[in-house]
Amino acid sequence: MSRKWPICVLLAHTGSEYWVSYTYGVVDEAKRQNASLTIFSAGGYANVPGQIRQLEDCVTRGSKAIILVATSPAGLNPAISEARRKGVVIVDVGNGVTTDDIDARVLVSYRRAGFVTGRFLADKHPAGSGKVQMLYLAGPPGAAYIERLRQGVYTGLAGSDVEVVKDLYAASNKAAQLKLVEDGLLAYPNIKYIVGVAAGIEAALDVLRERGRKDILLISTLPTPTVWDAVATGQALGLVTDSVVTQARMAIDLALRILEKKPFVKDIAPDLLMISVDNVKSADRSPSLFPPGWKIVFNLD
């Protein structure tokens, strides 16, 4: 690098291992490329005003690029345009914003992630094979990527004998998801599958273990170390990985390429993979998960 570029990373939250993995990716890549990093968490998708203030603070601090996991598809658009007017590079990642006034994107298709999940189940239960029930733990209400995931799951399940008995929404943390799992099991005791966000599957692992329920199978729409380990030990059936660590590395690399005026691809993302009990032993965890023992940091000088 021609200089140590200051980069700001704005996260919607860091309340799940998924976003800890993302944080690991940006920190490790910034270290590798000798960039300076400041990371902010909005504390949740409802805090759009707070994230706008964080974005403005990044500009005031002199950050030359912002990696943005937006709390709202459209709510930050004016602040994004103002930052770019001041010469700050904006890389849109994670959830996606509706404005084209950005420099680059690293956006996987969460609709496709959901589709891969749904199709995995549909292949196991094609039409006429016998009805099975599924409880869907959708994730936090109002988050754009959550609705894309849900739409993808339903598209993937179309024409199969899998019946979704209920979509349940709550914040992406284990405590909130735990109540959903308990309520769901009470209302729908005959379900065969619990499918949903990683925090929900982590909660389900605990509840099913406590109740001795080995008849319910678990599938996560996103990866975390806990869920990956559960698949590896046969406690969960599978997960879809969007290689979140790789996404984070791509975002840092894109920002630095733009700042250094090097060639870059404006829209880029890794592929989506289904990790199941059948292939987990041979799968590489490093593109998807932070390493054991890594602790989150918010500043890198």
Side-chain angles (χ1 to χ4, degrees):
M1 293 294 126
S2 63
R3 57 175 288 192
K4 194 179 182 93
W5 294 100
I7 299 175
C8 213
V9 179
L10 299 182
L11 302 174
H13 67 88
T14 54
S16 72
E17 288 183 327
Y18 177 85
W19 290 111
V20 175
S21 290
Y22 191 93
T23 307
Y24 165 75
V26 292
V27 169
D28 196 62
E29 186 64 21
K31 282 182 180 177
R32 190 182 76 83
Q33 300 213 42
N34 193 35
S36 172
L37 212 60
T38 302
I39 300 171
F40 291 100
S41 168
Y45 289 96
N47 192 19
V48 180
Q51 192 174 55
I52 291 171
R53 289 192 296 271
Q54 289 171 346
L55 191 153
E56 292 169 345
D57 188 37
C58 288
V59 176
T60 302
R61 285 167 171 257
S63 296
K64 299 304 180 184
I66 295 174
I67 311 295
L68 176 62
V69 181
T71 51
S72 165
L76 281 85
N77 288 356
I80 290 169
S81 294
E82 179 62 17
R84 289 198 78 229
R85 190 184 66 79
K86 294 178 178 178
V88 179
V89 170
I90 303 290
V91 181
D92 180 24
V93 301
N95 301 322
V97 293
T98 55
T99 180
D100 288 326
D101 194 12
I102 49 95
D103 294 274
R105 297 183 182 91
V106 183
L107 297 177
V108 300
S109 170
Y110 288 106
R111 187 175 282 106
R112 175 154 173 74
F115 177 83
V116 170
T117 307
R119 183 49 54 189
F120 177 72
L121 270 179
D123 288 343
K124 291 181 176 298
H125 301 281
S129 61
K131 295 289 184 182
V132 294
Q133 294 184 338
M134 173 190 129
L135 182 69
Y136 186 56
L137 305 176
Y145 84 97
I146 289 300
E147 283 310 304
R148 296 188 199 115
L149 267 173
R150 190 186 68 83
Q151 292 163 9
V153 168
Y154 274 80
T155 302
L157 289 173
S160 75
D161 266 3
V162 180
E163 174 195 2
V164 182
V165 294
K166 189 71 173 178
D167 298 334
L168 297 177
Y169 290 84
S172 285
N173 62 69
K174 199 170 174 181
Q177 292 291 320
L178 193 68
K179 187 175 188 309
L180 289 192
V181 175
E182 291 172 338
D183 291 349
L185 288 175
L186 186 64
Y188 307 100
N190 298 319
I191 56 171
K192 175 71 172 175
Y193 293 98
I194 297 177
V195 177
V197 292
I201 300 307
E202 290 173 12
L205 284 165
D206 288 350
V207 174
L208 297 182
R209 189 181 301 115
E210 289 171 3
R211 300 188 181 187
R213 293 287 302 267
K214 297 183 178 180
D215 56 316
I216 298 175
L217 301 175
L218 306 176
I219 301 174
S220 176
T221 53
L222 294 171
T224 66
T226 299
V227 175
W228 194 296
D229 289 343
V231 175
T233 57
Q235 297 174 76
L237 183 60
L239 63 88
V240 175
T241 177
D242 57 355
S243 300
V244 66
V245 173
T246 299
Q247 288 184 58
R249 293 186 187 280
M250 287 176 169
I252 293 292
D253 186 64
L254 270 175
L256 292 172
R257 284 179 174 275
I258 295 166
L259 290 169
E260 292 276 321
K261 303 193 183 307
K262 294 179 179 178
F264 70 97
V265 178
K266 182 172 181 176
D267 289 275
I268 191 169
D271 200 2
L272 294 150
L273 300 171
M274 187 77 206
I275 306 296
S276 72
V277 292
D278 297 324
N279 64 3
V280 66
K281 299 295 185 184
S282 60
D284 182 5
R285 296 166 63 113
S286 62
S288 304
L289 306 173
F290 63 88
W294 188 79
K295 301 298 183 184
I296 195 166
V297 296
F298 291 94
N299 289 283
L300 181 66
D301 294 325

